[in-house]
């Protein structure tokens, strides 16, 4: 396991791409604030066409936006940010999350802080956190790959029976999980489904893979934290549904084998210098409350 910290800054910002929470026209006023705040520094602002439709304005397709932009802005909640990081993975652009959602574990800049924080960006008063992602490889008639920001969930489809999922490391059986399923999580995703299933909270700049059984049939099955040097393969003869970040679903029986490892690139999230992860935990999880 490793903690990745850095002093990275953006070399230049000439164009910014914006993606907003789907079907929420109320965010238009915040988009205008973002746009005007960047225009003040002669930075062009593009908005994805699907987001633009909500506001009755013209946008550009996602690929064009990513190719032309030096940074991307997510306006919405954590789900909007996660989706943007996954969709833009191939373009390797830093992402700024503006919090206009519910929980806000990842999007720490509030809508009333937009103008001030954009000023801070041009004064280089920000930091870029590197959050590791998981690469999931589906092997069958074809080989497909997809990335996960938070987690990969192996869940039984039939609630009336338990599932048996075998996990292998370097071709050797590591464990057999008998129960409701298994969560494979990133450190960032440790405060998502993982924590609800009794998994550990892991500092998000750590590089590690977390395996947490869901309602295991044996009390000896415990969460496991592994270094990222390993690639883990999974097999099952049961009817298992694979859910990626709560956004994509696959049937495990459609593939011969599924493997999970650390992705070759990280998500680069732009944060305030004052953001303190432990303060976020205290606020969101109510740690320290009496």
């Amino acid at each position: 396991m490793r903690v990745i910290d850095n002093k990275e800054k953006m070399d230049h910002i000439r164009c910014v791409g914006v993606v907003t929470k789907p079907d929420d026209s109320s965010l238009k006023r915040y988009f205008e604030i973002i746009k005007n705040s960047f225009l003040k520094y002669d930075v062009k602002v593009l908005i994805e066409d699907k987001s633009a439709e909500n506001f009755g304005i013209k946008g550009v397709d996602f690929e064009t936006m990513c190719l032309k932009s030096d940074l991307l802005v997510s306006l919405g909640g954590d789900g909007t940010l996660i989706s943007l990081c996954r969709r833009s993975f191939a373009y390797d652009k830093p992402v700024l999350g503006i919090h206009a959602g519910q929980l806000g574990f990842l999007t720490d800049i509030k809508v009333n802080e937009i103008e001030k924080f954009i000023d801070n960006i041009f004064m280089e008063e920000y930091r870029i956190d590197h959050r590791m992602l998981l690469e999931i490889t589906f092997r069958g008639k074809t080989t497909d790959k997809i990335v996960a920001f938070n987690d990969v969930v192996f869940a039984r489809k039939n609630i009336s029976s338990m599932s048996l999922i075998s996990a292998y490391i370097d071709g050797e059986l590591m464990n057999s999980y008998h129960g409701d399923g298994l969560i494979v999580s990133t450190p960032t995703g440790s405060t998502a489904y993982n924590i609800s299933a009794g998994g550990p909270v892991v500092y998000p700049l750590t590089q590690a893979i977390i395996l947490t059984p869901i309602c295991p049939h044996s009390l000896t099955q415990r969460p496991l934290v592994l270094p990222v040097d390993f690639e883990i393969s999974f097999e099952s003869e049961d009817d298992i549904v694979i859910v990626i970040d709560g956004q994509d679903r696959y049937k495990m029986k459609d593939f011969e084998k599924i493997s999970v490892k650390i992705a070759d690139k990280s998500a680069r999230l732009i944060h305030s210098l004052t953001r303190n992860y432990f303060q976020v935990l205290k606020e969101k999880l109510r740690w320290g409350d009496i």
Side-chain angles (χ1 to χ4, degrees):
M1 292 174 284
R2 298 186 294 271
V3 176
I4 303 299
D5 199 2
N6 63 85
K7 305 298 181 182
E8 178 186 358
K9 300 294 182 183
M10 292 174 283
D11 292 334
H12 58 264
I13 305 174
R14 301 188 185 96
C15 184
V16 170
V18 180
V19 172
T20 68
K21 182 180 178 181
D23 304 318
D24 192 346
S25 59
S26 69
L27 298 177
K28 184 176 182 179
R29 64 185 184 274
Y30 301 124
F31 167 70
E32 294 295 338
I33 295 173
I34 294 169
K35 181 179 178 180
N36 292 331
S37 297
F38 278 110
L39 286 176
K40 185 171 66 174
Y41 293 94
D42 296 321
V43 174
K44 184 178 181 179
V45 176
L46 303 176
I47 183 170
E48 182 199 24
D49 47 14
K50 292 182 180 179
S51 300
E53 288 177 9
N54 294 328
F55 306 152
I57 59 178
K58 186 177 181 180
V60 299
D61 65 88
F62 186 78
E63 181 179 12
T64 298
M65 182 190 73
C66 290
L67 288 172
K68 291 186 175 182
S69 297
D70 299 302
L71 76 90
L72 303 174
V73 176
S74 165
L75 176 59
D78 286 351
T80 307
L81 177 66
I82 290 170
S83 176
L84 176 57
C85 288
R86 294 181 62 213
R87 293 173 65 199
S88 65
F89 174 76
Y91 305 98
D92 196 24
K93 302 297 173 85
V95 178
L96 168 63
I98 306 295
H99 177 52
Q102 298 297 321
L103 192 57
F105 258 105
L106 302 170
T107 51
D108 60 321
I109 307 303
K110 300 176 182 177
V111 290
N112 62 348
E113 301 171 331
I114 293 173
E115 294 176 272
K116 184 178 185 301
F117 187 73
I118 290 175
D119 287 339
N120 288 347
I121 288 177
F122 289 94
M123 292 186 289
E124 295 194 343
E125 294 178 1
Y126 65 92
R127 74 170 193 262
I128 298 179
D129 288 352
H130 286 226
R131 304 292 185 97
M132 66 157 277
L133 302 179
L134 295 172
E135 178 185 281
I136 305 96
T137 302
F138 298 90
R139 295 183 175 89
K141 293 181 180 179
T142 60
T143 298
D144 299 311
K145 295 183 179 182
I146 191 170
V147 294
F149 188 97
N150 269 348
D151 50 40
V152 185
V153 178
F154 297 82
R156 59 176 180 160
K157 185 177 181 181
N158 189 346
I159 63 172
S160 64
S161 61
M162 287 182 287
S163 63
L164 180 63
I165 302 168
S166 299
Y168 299 82
I169 294 179
D170 296 332
E172 296 289 331
L173 179 65
M174 185 270 292
N175 201 353
S176 295
Y177 294 94
H178 196 197
D180 285 1
L182 177 70
I183 303 166
V184 185
S185 171
T186 64
T188 299
S190 69
T191 49
Y193 191 7
N194 169 75
I195 194 175
S196 299
V201 175
V202 179
Y203 187 68
L205 300 188
T206 307
Q207 290 195 329
I209 300 174
I210 307 157
L211 277 67
T212 300
I214 307 170
C215 298
H217 190 49
S218 170
L219 293 178
T220 63
Q221 296 285 7
R222 310 306 302 169
L224 177 66
V225 180
L226 294 173
V228 292
D229 307 86
F230 296 122
E231 179 172 350
I232 312 162
S233 298
F234 300 92
E235 295 179 353
S236 179
E237 295 181 358
D238 296 325
D239 204 358
I240 304 294
V241 176
I242 303 171
V243 183
I244 312 294
D245 285 334
Q247 298 175 345
D248 297 312
R249 297 169 63 91
Y250 301 86
K251 295 179 181 178
M252 192 169 184
K253 63 182 180 182
D254 289 342
F255 308 95
E256 295 175 4
K257 183 180 292 186
I258 291 91
S259 60
V260 179
K261 67 177 183 178
I262 185 174
D264 60 1
K265 290 181 292 192
S266 301
R268 295 187 289 155
L269 302 187
I270 300 172
H271 286 298
S272 166
L273 288 176
T274 60
R275 176 182 170 88
N276 183 296
Y277 178 69
F278 299 105
Q279 187 62 41
V280 173
L281 290 180
K282 288 172 62 179
E283 176 186 348
K284 304 300 181 182
L285 303 183
R286 300 184 182 278
W287 284 6
D289 285 0
I290 298 176

